[in-house]
Amino acid sequence: MTIRRFFTQRGPAARVLTSAVVAVALLVTLTWALWSSPTRTVDTALVASTTDCKDMVTLSIAGRGDTPRPGTTKMLVDENGNELPAASADDYVSTWIDQASSAPLAEVGRDSYAAMYIAYPADMSSYEDAVNTGVANTEAVMEAIRVSCPDTQFAIVGYSEGADVARRVAMNVGHQEPNEDGTYGIVDPTNVVGVVILADAGRVDGQGPFPGAENPFTNPDGFDLEYQDGTAAVPGQGALPDTGGDDFGALNGRIASFCADGDLTCAAPENISLLQLVVNVGRQLDVDALEREQLTPATGIDVATVMSRIALDAFADIRSQPDWIRSDETFLEVLLKVSDPSYDGPTAAPATPETDASDISDMTAVSGEQDSISTEEMSPLAYLPQKLFKEIVGLIVTNQNTIPVIMSDPYQLTLGPEIGHHFDYWRDADPENGKDLTSADYAAAWLTYLAQQAQAGEPVDPKATPSAAELSAALEELVLEEAVTTLSEGAAPSLAATPSGAVQPAETTPAPTLPTTTPGAAPTTTPAPSDAAETATAEPTQTAVTPETTATPTTSTPAETTVASEATTPVTAPVPTPAG
């Protein structure tokens, strides 16, 4: 199945003062500029409602700028007709996530399965506000569907900025405590059968793709198709370690967290504390305005306000520790702590030195004799040289990789056209080294299997092992769609399914064209935009990526977009092309 994706390289977030600061600011853009393809909407006759109960619903949260917008997209409504922050995959399509979220429709049909896209700001005006809104909206939609359809099972898929949303929702659901009546505030964790996270910014160093699973490096529990051979973890950790953790509570074993080696969003090296500080600051800035306007009086005030607040918090935190100058904590560590958006003030109240009665007696003694000052009572200034030494050593040790990361051009490394590892999830198959499917194809196969279980009315058993026939059925449609699309372009299919369900490289011999329609992911082409379209769409320029298993992405400028419905006549919708 060929799905064209669009992304582009944009300039750094802001050019601030010196080249060193520019390089550091670049990482902010790198970490958060997780943009996706131009949106496509399709006008349908009916509005999707929670009263149309399904056996399984997948809720997808896409990346920056890739989200349904109320007023331009038909939104999901609850049982009372009230709009919810979500849209059906019939009304909104993200070409990044659709490959996985709509794959089950080929096997179970629309009467049993639905794919939804969560609406949230998906911007960088305030990263934390955007992600928190995404979390709240996702949980609200789950609750609304649960009220109308208590037996519906859920899957969650998130990519890029949406991956952060998906992770936080999964952790909230997995760590819920039941109410007195046995119900749950969001949804019963047993009804969340799978979570797919692509480019997890909260990933823990050394974490495998399937945290909490019996085989954390090869497959989620209950799905006996290996993602890869071996047990080597992708090096590094997520750029937002404070939001992470590898314990998803009740959802352990039902998480697939994919991270491409070299994607600094989820595979940042250790000892880059200065860059981590910049990331923390960037989470509280209006990065959209910095990218758009660069450094102006307005954006400068925004930067100064955030920096001043962090500095004041740092000094307040130090004041709350009377013996701070004697401690091993460095000022850089304090800044990292207080710059975290979740920081809510010092945990210890400022202490006042206690005065012992004997000290008063000594000070007021008529003899005027003075006791010698012990080492413990010495002025804190005596510890200043040792503290400065610790500061210097700490700065060097915790930044051993800062300069190498900056010098390696992190923007190109993660987001560069055709080489950016942030887009590897659609092209990272490596059959020669034991990885037959791309991350996106593996997610599609897993979600298809989960949807088949839900349709059959079978609860997901984490210890169950699917048969070879079940795995083959989950993969057959994916392989067939790949063959149809590539043959239509004059190329041979890149994958072939063996009778046992294993995927092997296919022979490069043409096969007859099959009358199969790819659900929710028709070939896309793009016309030149009108002035109005350019004004209405402030998305980054995108470069087409062909997510074939062994191919590298290519650039394309086609002429029209066609979105095909499963059971209706295809509807043509123009897609605005951002300015190059």
Side-chain angles (χ1 to χ4, degrees), residues 1-5 95-104 106 426-427 438 440-445 448 474-489 492-495 516-524 545-551 566:
M1 173 170 51
T2 300
I3 301 177
R4 302 192 183 279
R5 299 176 176 83
T95 55
W96 295 104
I97 295 182
D98 192 67
Q99 177 176 352
S101 62
S102 288
W426 291 268
R427 61 192 183 195
T438 67
D441 280 336
Y442 188 91
T448 298
L475 290 170
E476 181 178 0
E477 187 63 26
L478 293 174
V479 176
L480 189 60
E481 291 167 0
E482 182 85 18
V484 172
T485 307
T486 53
L487 283 173
S488 67
E489 298 176 354
S494 57
L495 294 176
T516 303
T517 303
T518 302
T524 63
V545 176
T546 302
E548 295 181 352
T549 305
T550 58
E566 273 292 300

Side-chain angles (χ1 to χ4, degrees), residues 156-159 163 166-167 170 193-200 203 207-213 216 218-221 223 227 248 251-259 425 439-440 442-444 446-447 450:
I156 304 170
V157 180
Y159 168 55
R167 161 180 276 278
V193 295
V195 179
V196 176
I197 310 174
L198 301 163
D200 184 1
R203 178 176 170 271
Q207 176 183 301
F210 310 103
T218 57
N219 56 276
D221 291 342
F223 188 59
Y227 170 68
F248 288 84
L251 297 188
N252 280 338
R254 284 173 269 170
I255 307 292
S257 177
F258 300 115
C259 178
Y425 308 96
S439 299
Y442 188 91
W446 184 39
L447 293 175
L450 294 175

Side-chain angles (χ1 to χ4, degrees), residues 175-185:
H175 288 96
Q176 289 178 106
E177 292 293 336
N179 301 319
E180 292 183 359
D181 59 358
T183 62
Y184 290 85

